[in-house]
Amino acid sequence: MSQSTDPYEDDLDDLPSPRPVHYAEQSLLGALLLDPHRLPDIRVLGAEQFSNHAHGSLFQAMRMVPLPDPEAHRSDPAWLNAVLAAARPQAPGLTASYLHTLVQVCPWPQHAPAYARMIQSDHARRTLLMHAQRLAQTATDATLPNRAVTTLAQADALAQFLDTLSGQFAPHPGSLPRTAMPTQPTARSSEEALDEERLLLATATAHPAALKDMRWLQPDDFTQPLHAALWQCLTSLVHRAEPVDPVTVLWEAQHRGLLADDLAASDLMALVSTPVGSAEYWGERILQRALLTRACDVATRIATYAEDPANTTHQLITGSRRALADLTALRTRWQRSTAPAPPTTPRAPRSPAVSRAGPPLRATAARALR
């Protein structure tokens, strides 16, 4: 039985076929073993960017060992032996025969810069996937003490990485990835989320004045469409300066077509008639949940892009930035909701005549309540 002489062919049928970057790494290392003086042209590449640890160790050893004399290198394997000796402490599996294999698979040393760009691009893809996975893990980690802040910090790290990538690759008109997003089942609202939305609606009905300072909360932040529609009823009544109570909310809901066979008028009034706490508190809870959900969705979208090898680095940068932009508007509203209230402007001192007469009764009561 004849054996294949193709160096790219693996005899072990049970192992998966190597990815394309494996051959790019082999070809680059073979080119540099043949012509070490091309190493200065590969300065942008780091050993940590190789997908194969042994390949990265070998590349680092090439940089550590002084370059040989070009004429002597053609007939003397001393430089190859020195490189192998320097790489073995980090990659004991490397052998002299493997170095000869690398030389055999690369008869085109002049293509070394192209191979280096391939390795750099694949490393960018893997790193982007890692950042996306960290963002998703942070957004879903309920053990974090301040999950929203930590999630936004992770989103900032991802954005900074994209900025670094754009500086490493020559810009050109970028197109969006053509990767098809997986069809995800409709997420079911948790009972905790539904309870928070019900409490907000009831508390806002009892204290509608709070809604004037809650424009940072939008209907899309709710997990239940009925709750989002009722929030619109409340904000519309407040905007029109009309009375707000369970009956007026019911009337507004009727005009919006919210009453149906499965939602009686009495049920809707009961829904908005049990206030607890403050509307601002429940609104912040709902907005935080929406922020974390959006961050998780963005992470999934970017990870899907990074897992598709058909996407170029430029497409990954463009698509990932577009995905992060979907988080920006919600993040801005979250920051507005959690920003401390501005200090009140001190009142001007009263004139002596007014002071002797004494302040009005209403002003006295207002100061007593502070």
Side-chain angles (χ1 to χ4, degrees):
M1 180 177 178
S2 61
Q3 294 184 353
S4 172
T5 58
D6 186 353
Y8 292 134
E9 195 169 297
D10 200 323
D11 294 334
L12 301 177
D13 296 334
D14 57 337
L15 293 178
S17 176
R19 297 185 302 115
V21 69
H22 174 79
Y23 302 113
E25 291 179 3
Q26 283 191 324
S27 297
L28 174 65
L29 294 174
L32 297 177
L33 289 172
L34 280 169
D35 191 354
H37 289 80
R38 295 185 181 273
L39 271 167
D41 299 332
I42 318 295
R43 292 176 181 174
V44 297
L45 190 65
E48 72 283 353
Q49 295 179 310
F50 284 76
S51 64
N52 183 292
H53 173 73
H55 290 170
S57 299
L58 185 59
F59 182 74
Q60 183 64 27
M62 291 181 186
R63 286 184 160 174
M64 294 170 53
V65 178
L67 295 178
D69 177 75
E71 293 298 329
H73 182 64
R74 293 194 180 110
S75 57
D76 187 355
W79 188 77
L80 298 179
N81 294 333
V83 168
L84 180 61
R88 269 182 172 166
Q90 288 73 36
L94 283 174
T95 62
S97 63
Y98 187 64
L99 266 61
H100 287 291
T101 299
L102 295 176
V103 171
Q104 291 175 358
V105 301
C106 183
W108 313 282
Q110 66 272 23
H111 296 172
Y115 302 143
R117 288 193 297 272
M118 297 175 191
I119 297 169
Q120 192 179 16
S121 295
D122 193 77
H123 176 261
R125 181 190 312 280
R126 298 195 310 272
T127 308
L128 178 62
L129 177 60
M130 178 193 69
H131 276 284
Q133 291 172 339
R134 286 180 180 173
L135 178 60
Q137 292 169 358
T138 305
T140 55
D141 188 355
T143 64
L144 293 175
N146 201 335
R147 192 169 18 150
V149 174
T150 308
T151 298
L152 292 177
Q154 189 60 51
D156 287 339
L158 198 159
Q160 185 176 4
F161 172 70
L162 292 174
D163 291 340
T164 302
L165 274 190
S166 64
Q168 293 176 348
F169 293 86
H172 71 80
S175 59
L176 288 172
R178 296 183 176 89
T179 306
M181 291 293 107
T183 303
Q184 297 181 356
T186 303
R188 297 180 59 186
S189 302
S190 66
E191 194 60 35
E192 181 182 10
L194 293 176
D195 285 342
E196 290 173 354
E197 293 175 5
R198 296 186 192 107
L199 290 170
L200 169 64
L201 294 172
T203 307
T205 301
H207 308 286
L211 274 65
K212 296 179 180 179
D213 297 326
M214 291 180 61
R215 292 174 182 160
W216 38 261
L217 189 64
Q218 300 294 326
D220 290 342
D221 301 329
F222 289 77
T223 61
Q224 173 63 253
L226 173 62
H227 296 168
L230 289 175
W231 178 252
Q232 289 179 307
C233 291
L234 283 164
T235 54
S236 296
L237 289 172
V238 171
H239 178 71
R240 300 197 304 261
E242 295 185 10
V244 178
D245 60 40
V247 177
T248 60
V249 173
L250 172 64
W251 196 254
E252 183 73 15
Q254 176 180 250
H255 287 304
R256 291 175 179 263
L258 300 183
L259 297 180
D261 295 337
D262 57 343
L263 180 64
S266 59
D267 294 333
L268 193 149
M269 290 185 64
L271 177 63
V272 296
S273 299
T274 53
V276 175
S278 70
E280 292 89 347
Y281 172 80
W282 299 119
E284 288 179 12
R285 295 277 297 177
I286 293 168
L287 185 56
Q288 175 176 303
R289 191 182 303 277
L291 176 73
L292 296 174
T293 300
R294 180 71 58 83
C296 193
D297 292 343
V298 166
T300 301
R301 183 172 158 190
I302 295 176
T304 303
Y305 290 154
E307 289 171 344
D308 184 359
N311 290 321
T312 66
T313 307
H314 300 284
Q315 287 176 315
L316 292 178
I317 294 172
T318 304
S320 299
R321 281 177 165 169
R322 183 73 62 88
L324 280 175
D326 292 342
L327 183 62
T328 301
L330 210 160
R331 174 181 188 159
T332 301
R333 291 193 285 114
W334 161 254
Q335 291 172 337
R336 286 171 54 193
S337 72
T338 57
T344 58
T345 305
R347 296 182 179 180
R350 296 180 179 273
S351 63
V354 175
S355 299
R356 285 195 299 268
L361 179 61
R362 183 178 298 176
T364 304
R367 285 197 294 273
L369 292 174
R370 288 180 192 153

